Amino acid sequence: MVANVDVNPDLKKERLKCNFNIEEVTFILDGGKDKTLQRRKIEDIVLNSGVSIDPIPEECLSLKERYDNAVRKSVLFGKLIKNELLEISGLEGFGNSALKRTSDAFFKEVSPFMLHLGMFVPTIIGQCTAEQQSKWLPLALNLKIIGAYAQTELGHGTFIRGLETTATYDPDKEEFVLNSPTLTSSKWWAGGLGNTANHCIVIAQLYTKGQCHGTHPFIVQIRDLETHEPLPGVKVGDIGLRMGFNTADNGFLRFNNYRIPRENMMMKNAKVLKDGTYVKVARHAKLTYGTMVFVRVTMVAEVANNLAKAVTIAVRFSAVRRQSQPKPDEPEPQIIDYLTQQHKLFICISTAHALHITGLWLWRTFETVLSNMKSGNTDSLPELHALSSCLKAVSTSDAAAYIEQCRYACGGHGYMLSSNLPLLYSYVSATRIYEGDYTVLLLQTARFLVKAWEQAENGNPLTPTVSYLAAAVAKQRMTWNDSAEGMICSFEAIAAGKISACNENIRRHMKSGMCFEDAWQLTTVRLVAAAVSHCRAMICRTYWSEIKRLTATSSNSVKIVMEQLASLYLIYWALEMSGDLLRYTNINETDLNRLQQRYEELLALLRNNAVGLVDAFDFRDEILHSTLGAYDGQIYERLMAEAEKSPLNDMPVQSSFQKYIKPLMRGKL
């Protein structure tokens, strides 16, 4: 970081233009003033000492050096959590979002411990009996053991039922025997598995008394706790270089007749008795699946956070960067004054708000469903599954696209790793394909939508997120109006029209003698589109209604700017979906022209508040990791300071000159 520098004068002026209370918006995004103060307290404890800062940029280190550094910082961060942060009133340990945000200061990519806290611990809570939790949770939370989560295999990812790893029960020894019968059964991609973890949760096909009972989770020790050597019967290692996540220690794992105690099967929802009898609780499959949506639910807010970082960087850069000279004899304008730059960036701000607010709403929905499940009611789980599937798919896709758009908006400097934009992109682009592939998840949502359409046709009650289908079944054509509610209803009409067309196509194929699954396969392109439209309508409705609720007691200026952002989001997507609107509503060219004019007017209204809006995300410089996005706006000083840290600048002449270039110049090569 650059010490003792003044704030760039252009950035100073931008902040003076802001006409709303920035902290008030921060409180809304954090969920209240108390949560903001708690988050800042956590950040002060963790970051004020400077232990998160690397003297040499992480990207300049070798792969091994980066991994070692990530482990070192993971241990430091773990000690801070254990010794200081858990004592803060109201802090919920590994589940606290402020901790995840603060950890970003330590890791430009990710910690090798990420899956320990993100999946190993939550799965113990979700899948273990009280007795098992009393054994494993203290070990995991006190970092006496380090865990990974091994589900995906070399040959299977999203299709869990196709996993090939086996766990066969031996009643004579009261043990499970784990095997990887094929190359494709090798566990693959598990974070922290390659070199860090000594335990992992393994998802395997359970066999007992000659019968397969499907996939079940097991806690498996894979390394010696003293030497860290892989145990006999275990082959484990790193999967190799990735596009990103290279400090995440993603690994592979294979078993050869490896034995674990019967008690290591996670038995909250199903168990194997000593004699090998398999016992499951009622609705076992649904209860197991309920814990699987946890990561998808949390991911929506997580990618919103990363998009917020990217647009903070890009907007601050755009306020400082000056380019071209459209009017002779006048200074080069700030690039944020160009309408095209506003078009690139302001939708990124509103999308970060939309996904963040929808993510919080989804978390509350998840907590309600989880509470119902604990009392035996799983009726709302299918809707949650459909919600989490499409929201995970669409939010990760949108966030990746808009982070890349932020990078483009920063021109050549956005290509610098020191901008942090390439690293943010590589991180979020990975989220689109893990914990469920984009297309597969949307097709899972589509199955729910097809069933909901049939329920609507039969006059049965509909769950809240698909209640709009009732009007479509009644053949009520949507009349266009450009109010917020009117646009949202139009988006729902688009989704309903596409769902209806999917049902018609499936039925048409089945009438010709085709089975349902074949008819489904021939409709999948339409089904994916229907699920995306449903998700988009749901985000728009949630964003608009939640903004109204969250700003009900806000100052007038905050209400105005937050509604302007939400309106921008609605109008942007109305223009993007103009073809669908023409197909499913009575919108016309005049209406579309009016929308385009309103969109451009909103860009102008938001222009002077752009820097204030990204300041409201309240990211410390340590968390942004960006030469372009620091609060002081000294982009050129920071770029040069970071460049000077490169190992290629450690001497004026590199050894390669004497070895290769000089002989070449003298004709000796």
Side-chain angles (χ1 to χ4, degrees), residues 335-375:
I335 61 174
I336 199 170
D337 283 332
Y338 291 110
L339 189 67
T340 50
Q341 192 78 346
Q342 296 165 18
H343 172 59
K344 289 175 189 174
L345 296 181
F346 295 177
I347 184 58
C348 298
I349 301 175
S350 65
T351 301
H353 278 230
L355 296 183
H356 176 76
I357 288 166
T358 302
L360 295 178
W361 170 83
L362 181 63
W363 179 257
R364 292 197 304 273
T365 303
F366 174 73
E367 287 184 317
T368 300
V369 174
L370 205 61
S371 176
N372 292 340
M373 287 169 58
K374 287 176 180 177
S375 60

mmCIF file of all heavy atoms in Angstrom, residues 335-375:
data_model
loop_
_atom_site.group_PDB
_atom_site.id
_atom_site.type_symbol
_atom_site.label_atom_id
_atom_site.label_comp_id
_atom_site.label_asym_id
_atom_site.label_seq_id
_atom_site.Cartn_x
_atom_site.Cartn_y
_atom_site.Cartn_z
ATOM 1 N N ILE A 335 -13.633 9.546 -17.366
ATOM 2 C CA ILE A 335 -14.340 8.577 -18.215
ATOM 3 C C ILE A 335 -15.709 8.213 -17.643
ATOM 4 O O ILE A 335 -16.564 7.703 -18.364
ATOM 5 C CB ILE A 335 -13.495 7.309 -18.482
ATOM 6 C CG1 ILE A 335 -13.146 6.570 -17.183
ATOM 7 C CG2 ILE A 335 -12.242 7.663 -19.265
ATOM 8 C CD1 ILE A 335 -12.443 5.236 -17.434
ATOM 9 N N ILE A 336 -15.945 8.514 -16.378
ATOM 10 C CA ILE A 336 -17.267 8.263 -15.814
ATOM 11 C C ILE A 336 -18.303 9.225 -16.395
ATOM 12 O O ILE A 336 -19.515 8.990 -16.294
ATOM 13 C CB ILE A 336 -17.246 8.353 -14.268
ATOM 14 C CG1 ILE A 336 -18.459 7.643 -13.673
ATOM 15 C CG2 ILE A 336 -17.149 9.803 -13.804
ATOM 16 C CD1 ILE A 336 -18.417 7.473 -12.181
ATOM 17 N N ASP A 337 -17.848 10.286 -17.049
ATOM 18 C CA ASP A 337 -18.778 11.221 -17.681
ATOM 19 C C ASP A 337 -19.309 10.698 -19.017
ATOM 20 O O ASP A 337 -20.281 11.243 -19.541
ATOM 21 C CB ASP A 337 -18.105 12.581 -17.902
ATOM 22 C CG ASP A 337 -18.014 13.390 -16.616
ATOM 23 O OD1 ASP A 337 -18.880 13.185 -15.736
ATOM 24 O OD2 ASP A 337 -17.091 14.209 -16.484
ATOM 25 N N TYR A 338 -18.673 9.674 -19.575
ATOM 26 C CA TYR A 338 -19.169 9.098 -20.824
ATOM 27 C C TYR A 338 -20.395 8.223 -20.540
ATOM 28 O O TYR A 338 -20.367 7.376 -19.643
ATOM 29 C CB TYR A 338 -18.085 8.265 -21.502
ATOM 30 C CG TYR A 338 -16.938 9.078 -22.054
ATOM 31 C CD1 TYR A 338 -15.675 9.021 -21.463
ATOM 32 C CD2 TYR A 338 -17.100 9.902 -23.160
ATOM 33 C CE1 TYR A 338 -14.605 9.762 -21.952
ATOM 34 C CE2 TYR A 338 -16.045 10.645 -23.671
ATOM 35 C CZ TYR A 338 -14.804 10.573 -23.061
ATOM 36 O OH TYR A 338 -13.758 11.318 -23.554
ATOM 37 N N LEU A 339 -21.441 8.416 -21.318
ATOM 38 C CA LEU A 339 -22.677 7.651 -21.114
ATOM 39 C C LEU A 339 -22.429 6.151 -21.245
ATOM 40 O O LEU A 339 -23.016 5.344 -20.518
ATOM 41 C CB LEU A 339 -23.740 8.105 -22.116
ATOM 42 C CG LEU A 339 -25.157 7.562 -21.897
ATOM 43 C CD1 LEU A 339 -25.746 8.125 -20.606
ATOM 44 C CD2 LEU A 339 -26.053 7.910 -23.083
ATOM 45 N N THR A 340 -21.564 5.779 -22.167
ATOM 46 C CA THR A 340 -21.277 4.352 -22.353
ATOM 47 C C THR A 340 -20.625 3.745 -21.115
ATOM 48 O O THR A 340 -20.871 2.581 -20.782
ATOM 49 C CB THR A 340 -20.351 4.148 -23.564
ATOM 50 O OG1 THR A 340 -19.224 5.035 -23.451
ATOM 51 C CG2 THR A 340 -21.088 4.431 -24.869
ATOM 52 N N GLN A 341 -19.784 4.525 -20.414
ATOM 53 C CA GLN A 341 -19.158 4.035 -19.176
ATOM 54 C C GLN A 341 -20.208 3.890 -18.083
ATOM 55 O O GLN A 341 -20.195 2.914 -17.318
ATOM 56 C CB GLN A 341 -18.047 4.997 -18.743
ATOM 57 C CG GLN A 341 -17.139 4.456 -17.639
ATOM 58 C CD GLN A 341 -16.114 3.462 -18.158
ATOM 59 O OE1 GLN A 341 -16.212 2.973 -19.278
ATOM 60 N NE2 GLN A 341 -15.125 3.141 -17.344
ATOM 61 N N GLN A 342 -21.114 4.834 -18.006
ATOM 62 C CA GLN A 342 -22.205 4.733 -17.031
ATOM 63 C C GLN A 342 -23.065 3.503 -17.327
ATOM 64 O O GLN A 342 -23.491 2.794 -16.401
ATOM 65 C CB GLN A 342 -23.052 6.011 -17.080
ATOM 66 C CG GLN A 342 -22.310 7.268 -16.657
ATOM 67 C CD GLN A 342 -23.031 8.539 -17.054
ATOM 68 O OE1 GLN A 342 -24.225 8.521 -17.346
ATOM 69 N NE2 GLN A 342 -22.298 9.658 -17.105
ATOM 70 N N HIS A 343 -23.316 3.257 -18.598
ATOM 71 C CA HIS A 343 -24.102 2.088 -19.010
ATOM 72 C C HIS A 343 -23.406 0.793 -18.586
ATOM 73 O O HIS A 343 -24.055 -0.166 -18.156
ATOM 74 C CB HIS A 343 -24.286 2.138 -20.531
ATOM 75 C CG HIS A 343 -24.917 0.919 -21.117
ATOM 76 N ND1 HIS A 343 -26.163 0.466 -20.743
ATOM 77 C CD2 HIS A 343 -24.474 0.049 -22.072
ATOM 78 C CE1 HIS A 343 -26.461 -0.621 -21.440
ATOM 79 N NE2 HIS A 343 -25.451 -0.896 -22.240
ATOM 80 N N LYS A 344 -22.087 0.761 -18.678
ATOM 81 C CA LYS A 344 -21.335 -0.432 -18.266
ATOM 82 C C LYS A 344 -21.380 -0.645 -16.761
ATOM 83 O O LYS A 344 -21.479 -1.789 -16.289
ATOM 84 C CB LYS A 344 -19.865 -0.309 -18.697
ATOM 85 C CG LYS A 344 -19.596 -0.413 -20.175
ATOM 86 C CD LYS A 344 -18.111 -0.133 -20.445
ATOM 87 C CE LYS A 344 -17.831 0.000 -21.931
ATOM 88 N NZ LYS A 344 -16.428 0.421 -22.182
ATOM 89 N N LEU A 345 -21.299 0.436 -15.996
ATOM 90 C CA LEU A 345 -21.029 0.302 -14.563
ATOM 91 C C LEU A 345 -22.237 0.414 -13.647
ATOM 92 O O LEU A 345 -22.295 -0.260 -12.620
ATOM 93 C CB LEU A 345 -19.979 1.333 -14.139
ATOM 94 C CG LEU A 345 -18.591 1.167 -14.759
ATOM 95 C CD1 LEU A 345 -17.646 2.235 -14.245
ATOM 96 C CD2 LEU A 345 -18.028 -0.221 -14.475
ATOM 97 N N PHE A 346 -23.202 1.264 -13.999
ATOM 98 C CA PHE A 346 -24.282 1.487 -13.040
ATOM 99 C C PHE A 346 -25.180 0.258 -12.900
ATOM 100 O O PHE A 346 -25.727 0.005 -11.826
ATOM 101 C CB PHE A 346 -25.090 2.723 -13.412
ATOM 102 C CG PHE A 346 -24.306 4.019 -13.327
ATOM 103 C CD1 PHE A 346 -24.882 5.232 -13.691
ATOM 104 C CD2 PHE A 346 -22.988 4.042 -12.871
ATOM 105 C CE1 PHE A 346 -24.163 6.427 -13.616
ATOM 106 C CE2 PHE A 346 -22.258 5.222 -12.788
ATOM 107 C CZ PHE A 346 -22.849 6.419 -13.173
ATOM 108 N N ILE A 347 -25.309 -0.520 -13.973
ATOM 109 C CA ILE A 347 -26.069 -1.775 -13.850
ATOM 110 C C ILE A 347 -25.319 -2.750 -12.928
ATOM 111 O O ILE A 347 -25.937 -3.574 -12.251
ATOM 112 C CB ILE A 347 -26.321 -2.419 -15.232
ATOM 113 C CG1 ILE A 347 -27.205 -3.674 -15.101
ATOM 114 C CG2 ILE A 347 -25.023 -2.772 -15.936
ATOM 115 C CD1 ILE A 347 -28.551 -3.449 -14.474
ATOM 116 N N CYS A 348 -23.989 -2.617 -12.866
ATOM 117 C CA CYS A 348 -23.216 -3.477 -11.955
ATOM 118 C C CYS A 348 -23.495 -3.120 -10.499
ATOM 119 O O CYS A 348 -23.566 -4.006 -9.635
ATOM 120 C CB CYS A 348 -21.730 -3.360 -12.260
ATOM 121 S SG CYS A 348 -21.262 -3.891 -13.912
ATOM 122 N N ILE A 349 -23.651 -1.808 -10.224
ATOM 123 C CA ILE A 349 -23.991 -1.397 -8.858
ATOM 124 C C ILE A 349 -25.370 -1.932 -8.490
ATOM 125 O O ILE A 349 -25.564 -2.530 -7.421
ATOM 126 C CB ILE A 349 -23.981 0.140 -8.713
ATOM 127 C CG1 ILE A 349 -22.614 0.725 -9.055
ATOM 128 C CG2 ILE A 349 -24.360 0.533 -7.276
ATOM 129 C CD1 ILE A 349 -22.572 2.251 -9.060
ATOM 130 N N SER A 350 -26.347 -1.730 -9.381
ATOM 131 C CA SER A 350 -27.713 -2.163 -9.060
ATOM 132 C C SER A 350 -27.807 -3.685 -8.983
ATOM 133 O O SER A 350 -28.553 -4.225 -8.159
ATOM 134 C CB SER A 350 -28.718 -1.606 -10.073
ATOM 135 O OG SER A 350 -28.504 -2.124 -11.348
ATOM 136 N N THR A 351 -27.027 -4.392 -9.799
ATOM 137 C CA THR A 351 -27.033 -5.860 -9.729
ATOM 138 C C THR A 351 -26.422 -6.348 -8.425
ATOM 139 O O THR A 351 -26.906 -7.315 -7.823
ATOM 140 C CB THR A 351 -26.286 -6.460 -10.926
ATOM 141 O OG1 THR A 351 -26.911 -6.030 -12.139
ATOM 142 C CG2 THR A 351 -26.296 -7.984 -10.883
ATOM 143 N N ALA A 352 -25.357 -5.684 -7.966
ATOM 144 C CA ALA A 352 -24.774 -6.050 -6.669
ATOM 145 C C ALA A 352 -25.811 -5.884 -5.559
ATOM 146 O O ALA A 352 -25.928 -6.736 -4.659
ATOM 147 C CB ALA A 352 -23.543 -5.197 -6.379
ATOM 148 N N HIS A 353 -26.596 -4.795 -5.617
ATOM 149 C CA HIS A 353 -27.679 -4.593 -4.646
ATOM 150 C C HIS A 353 -28.750 -5.673 -4.792
ATOM 151 O O HIS A 353 -29.205 -6.253 -3.797
ATOM 152 C CB HIS A 353 -28.313 -3.215 -4.860
ATOM 153 C CG HIS A 353 -27.573 -2.096 -4.211
ATOM 154 N ND1 HIS A 353 -28.176 -1.161 -3.403
ATOM 155 C CD2 HIS A 353 -26.258 -1.750 -4.233
ATOM 156 C CE1 HIS A 353 -27.273 -0.290 -2.963
ATOM 157 N NE2 HIS A 353 -26.109 -0.626 -3.468
ATOM 158 N N ALA A 354 -29.165 -5.928 -6.037
ATOM 159 C CA ALA A 354 -30.239 -6.899 -6.277
ATOM 160 C C ALA A 354 -29.864 -8.281 -5.757
ATOM 161 O O ALA A 354 -30.666 -8.949 -5.083
ATOM 162 C CB ALA A 354 -30.565 -6.960 -7.768
ATOM 163 N N LEU A 355 -28.640 -8.725 -6.059
ATOM 164 C CA LEU A 355 -28.221 -10.069 -5.643
ATOM 165 C C LEU A 355 -27.981 -10.124 -4.135
ATOM 166 O O LEU A 355 -28.300 -11.132 -3.487
ATOM 167 C CB LEU A 355 -26.961 -10.484 -6.403
ATOM 168 C CG LEU A 355 -27.109 -10.621 -7.923
ATOM 169 C CD1 LEU A 355 -25.805 -11.113 -8.541
ATOM 170 C CD2 LEU A 355 -28.256 -11.561 -8.288
ATOM 171 N N HIS A 356 -27.422 -9.054 -3.580
ATOM 172 C CA HIS A 356 -27.189 -9.026 -2.129
ATOM 173 C C HIS A 356 -28.519 -9.098 -1.368
ATOM 174 O O HIS A 356 -28.678 -9.908 -0.442
ATOM 175 C CB HIS A 356 -26.444 -7.748 -1.755
ATOM 176 C CG HIS A 356 -26.240 -7.574 -0.282
ATOM 177 N ND1 HIS A 356 -25.295 -8.267 0.432
ATOM 178 C CD2 HIS A 356 -26.880 -6.784 0.631
ATOM 179 C CE1 HIS A 356 -25.352 -7.925 1.706
ATOM 180 N NE2 HIS A 356 -26.298 -7.021 1.851
ATOM 181 N N ILE A 357 -29.464 -8.288 -1.777
ATOM 182 C CA ILE A 357 -30.756 -8.238 -1.086
ATOM 183 C C ILE A 357 -31.534 -9.534 -1.300
ATOM 184 O O ILE A 357 -32.153 -10.070 -0.369
ATOM 185 C CB ILE A 357 -31.550 -7.009 -1.559
ATOM 186 C CG1 ILE A 357 -30.904 -5.730 -0.976
ATOM 187 C CG2 ILE A 357 -33.019 -7.079 -1.156
ATOM 188 C CD1 ILE A 357 -31.369 -4.452 -1.611
ATOM 189 N N THR A 358 -31.483 -10.074 -2.512
ATOM 190 C CA THR A 358 -32.132 -11.360 -2.775
ATOM 191 C C THR A 358 -31.459 -12.476 -1.993
ATOM 192 O O THR A 358 -32.123 -13.386 -1.490
ATOM 193 C CB THR A 358 -32.102 -11.682 -4.280
ATOM 194 O OG1 THR A 358 -32.760 -10.629 -5.000
ATOM 195 C CG2 THR A 358 -32.803 -12.995 -4.578
ATOM 196 N N GLY A 359 -30.121 -12.398 -1.862
ATOM 197 C CA GLY A 359 -29.394 -13.404 -1.088
ATOM 198 C C GLY A 359 -29.798 -13.409 0.374
ATOM 199 O O GLY A 359 -29.950 -14.473 0.988
ATOM 200 N N LEU A 360 -29.984 -12.223 0.947
ATOM 201 C CA LEU A 360 -30.438 -12.135 2.344
ATOM 202 C C LEU A 360 -31.845 -12.705 2.498
ATOM 203 O O LEU A 360 -32.149 -13.408 3.470
ATOM 204 C CB LEU A 360 -30.405 -10.678 2.814
ATOM 205 C CG LEU A 360 -29.019 -10.017 2.892
ATOM 206 C CD1 LEU A 360 -29.160 -8.563 3.329
ATOM 207 C CD2 LEU A 360 -28.106 -10.771 3.854
ATOM 208 N N TRP A 361 -32.701 -12.387 1.524
ATOM 209 C CA TRP A 361 -34.068 -12.926 1.535
ATOM 210 C C TRP A 361 -34.057 -14.451 1.417
ATOM 211 O O TRP A 361 -34.789 -15.156 2.116
ATOM 212 C CB TRP A 361 -34.857 -12.303 0.383
ATOM 213 C CG TRP A 361 -36.188 -12.930 0.123
ATOM 214 C CD1 TRP A 361 -37.366 -12.681 0.767
ATOM 215 C CD2 TRP A 361 -36.482 -13.931 -0.861
ATOM 216 N NE1 TRP A 361 -38.371 -13.455 0.242
ATOM 217 C CE2 TRP A 361 -37.859 -14.229 -0.761
ATOM 218 C CE3 TRP A 361 -35.725 -14.596 -1.825
ATOM 219 C CZ2 TRP A 361 -38.482 -15.174 -1.578
ATOM 220 C CZ3 TRP A 361 -36.332 -15.532 -2.639
ATOM 221 C CH2 TRP A 361 -37.697 -15.809 -2.511
ATOM 222 N N LEU A 362 -33.190 -14.971 0.553
ATOM 223 C CA LEU A 362 -33.087 -16.425 0.374
ATOM 224 C C LEU A 362 -32.595 -17.088 1.649
ATOM 225 O O LEU A 362 -33.066 -18.172 2.012
ATOM 226 C CB LEU A 362 -32.143 -16.738 -0.793
ATOM 227 C CG LEU A 362 -31.941 -18.221 -1.122
ATOM 228 C CD1 LEU A 362 -33.249 -18.865 -1.557
ATOM 229 C CD2 LEU A 362 -30.883 -18.385 -2.218
ATOM 230 N N TRP A 363 -31.657 -16.439 2.353
ATOM 231 C CA TRP A 363 -31.156 -17.004 3.611
ATOM 232 C C TRP A 363 -32.277 -17.098 4.647
ATOM 233 O O TRP A 363 -32.396 -18.096 5.345
ATOM 234 C CB TRP A 363 -29.997 -16.176 4.146
ATOM 235 C CG TRP A 363 -29.476 -16.715 5.457
ATOM 236 C CD1 TRP A 363 -29.697 -16.222 6.696
ATOM 237 C CD2 TRP A 363 -28.690 -17.898 5.637
ATOM 238 N NE1 TRP A 363 -29.091 -16.999 7.649
ATOM 239 C CE2 TRP A 363 -28.464 -18.037 7.029
ATOM 240 C CE3 TRP A 363 -28.157 -18.840 4.767
ATOM 241 C CZ2 TRP A 363 -27.720 -19.095 7.550
ATOM 242 C CZ3 TRP A 363 -27.414 -19.886 5.298
ATOM 243 C CH2 TRP A 363 -27.208 -20.003 6.667
ATOM 244 N N ARG A 364 -33.102 -16.051 4.731
ATOM 245 C CA ARG A 364 -34.224 -16.098 5.679
ATOM 246 C C ARG A 364 -35.196 -17.213 5.302
ATOM 247 O O ARG A 364 -35.725 -17.912 6.180
ATOM 248 C CB ARG A 364 -34.955 -14.748 5.700
ATOM 249 C CG ARG A 364 -34.152 -13.611 6.282
ATOM 250 C CD ARG A 364 -35.035 -12.424 6.660
ATOM 251 N NE ARG A 364 -35.837 -11.940 5.545
ATOM 252 C CZ ARG A 364 -35.428 -11.048 4.649
ATOM 253 N NH1 ARG A 364 -34.197 -10.551 4.742
ATOM 254 N NH2 ARG A 364 -36.220 -10.650 3.688
ATOM 255 N N THR A 365 -35.417 -17.398 4.008
ATOM 256 C CA THR A 365 -36.283 -18.486 3.544
ATOM 257 C C THR A 365 -35.693 -19.832 3.930
ATOM 258 O O THR A 365 -36.401 -20.729 4.403
ATOM 259 C CB THR A 365 -36.451 -18.413 2.018
ATOM 260 O OG1 THR A 365 -36.979 -17.135 1.656
ATOM 261 C CG2 THR A 365 -37.389 -19.498 1.510
ATOM 262 N N PHE A 366 -34.392 -19.977 3.749
ATOM 263 C CA PHE A 366 -33.689 -21.208 4.108
ATOM 264 C C PHE A 366 -33.832 -21.508 5.598
ATOM 265 O O PHE A 366 -34.099 -22.650 5.997
ATOM 266 C CB PHE A 366 -32.216 -21.071 3.727
ATOM 267 C CG PHE A 366 -31.344 -22.215 4.178
ATOM 268 C CD1 PHE A 366 -31.419 -23.457 3.559
ATOM 269 C CD2 PHE A 366 -30.436 -22.057 5.216
ATOM 270 C CE1 PHE A 366 -30.609 -24.507 3.965
ATOM 271 C CE2 PHE A 366 -29.624 -23.091 5.632
ATOM 272 C CZ PHE A 366 -29.718 -24.330 5.001
ATOM 273 N N GLU A 367 -33.672 -20.483 6.426
ATOM 274 C CA GLU A 367 -33.793 -20.681 7.875
ATOM 275 C C GLU A 367 -35.200 -21.136 8.256
ATOM 276 O O GLU A 367 -35.371 -22.002 9.128
ATOM 277 C CB GLU A 367 -33.449 -19.383 8.608
ATOM 278 C CG GLU A 367 -31.968 -19.047 8.595
ATOM 279 C CD GLU A 367 -31.648 -17.810 9.405
ATOM 280 O OE1 GLU A 367 -32.396 -16.819 9.296
ATOM 281 O OE2 GLU A 367 -30.644 -17.825 10.148
ATOM 282 N N THR A 368 -36.209 -20.580 7.585
ATOM 283 C CA THR A 368 -37.593 -20.986 7.855
ATOM 284 C C THR A 368 -37.813 -22.437 7.481
ATOM 285 O O THR A 368 -38.409 -23.221 8.241
ATOM 286 C CB THR A 368 -38.576 -20.086 7.078
ATOM 287 O OG1 THR A 368 -38.387 -18.733 7.490
ATOM 288 C CG2 THR A 368 -40.010 -20.498 7.338
ATOM 289 N N VAL A 369 -37.349 -22.825 6.295
ATOM 290 C CA VAL A 369 -37.502 -24.214 5.837
ATOM 291 C C VAL A 369 -36.749 -25.161 6.769
ATOM 292 O O VAL A 369 -37.251 -26.236 7.123
ATOM 293 C CB VAL A 369 -37.008 -24.359 4.385
ATOM 294 C CG1 VAL A 369 -37.015 -25.828 3.953
ATOM 295 C CG2 VAL A 369 -37.876 -23.530 3.448
ATOM 296 N N LEU A 370 -35.548 -24.763 7.175
ATOM 297 C CA LEU A 370 -34.752 -25.600 8.072
ATOM 298 C C LEU A 370 -35.474 -25.801 9.393
ATOM 299 O O LEU A 370 -35.493 -26.912 9.947
ATOM 300 C CB LEU A 370 -33.391 -24.936 8.302
ATOM 301 C CG LEU A 370 -32.223 -25.842 8.692
ATOM 302 C CD1 LEU A 370 -31.948 -26.862 7.611
ATOM 303 C CD2 LEU A 370 -30.978 -24.994 8.946
ATOM 304 N N SER A 371 -36.091 -24.742 9.897
ATOM 305 C CA SER A 371 -36.844 -24.837 11.146
ATOM 306 C C SER A 371 -38.025 -25.786 10.986
ATOM 307 O O SER A 371 -38.299 -26.621 11.870
ATOM 308 C CB SER A 371 -37.335 -23.445 11.560
ATOM 309 O OG SER A 371 -38.132 -23.513 12.714
ATOM 310 N N ASN A 372 -38.707 -25.681 9.843
ATOM 311 C CA ASN A 372 -39.833 -26.587 9.579
ATOM 312 C C ASN A 372 -39.371 -28.036 9.480
ATOM 313 O O ASN A 372 -40.051 -28.954 9.965
ATOM 314 C CB ASN A 372 -40.536 -26.187 8.280
ATOM 315 C CG ASN A 372 -41.261 -24.857 8.396
ATOM 316 O OD1 ASN A 372 -41.572 -24.398 9.491
ATOM 317 N ND2 ASN A 372 -41.522 -24.215 7.271
ATOM 318 N N MET A 373 -38.220 -28.240 8.859
ATOM 319 C CA MET A 373 -37.697 -29.596 8.692
ATOM 320 C C MET A 373 -37.369 -30.237 10.031
ATOM 321 O O MET A 373 -37.554 -31.443 10.223
ATOM 322 C CB MET A 373 -36.460 -29.572 7.800
ATOM 323 C CG MET A 373 -36.759 -29.328 6.326
ATOM 324 S SD MET A 373 -35.262 -29.007 5.369
ATOM 325 C CE MET A 373 -34.321 -30.482 5.681
ATOM 326 N N LYS A 374 -36.873 -29.434 10.963
ATOM 327 C CA LYS A 374 -36.517 -29.976 12.272
ATOM 328 C C LYS A 374 -37.744 -30.505 13.012
ATOM 329 O O LYS A 374 -37.639 -31.388 13.861
ATOM 330 C CB LYS A 374 -35.813 -28.913 13.113
ATOM 331 C CG LYS A 374 -34.389 -28.627 12.639
ATOM 332 C CD LYS A 374 -33.738 -27.507 13.434
ATOM 333 C CE LYS A 374 -32.319 -27.230 12.938
ATOM 334 N NZ LYS A 374 -31.682 -26.094 13.641
ATOM 335 N N SER A 375 -38.907 -29.955 12.676
ATOM 336 C CA SER A 375 -40.144 -30.440 13.294
ATOM 337 C C SER A 375 -40.849 -31.471 12.411
ATOM 338 O O SER A 375 -41.988 -31.836 12.665
ATOM 339 C CB SER A 375 -41.086 -29.261 13.576
ATOM 340 O OG SER A 375 -41.419 -28.592 12.374
#
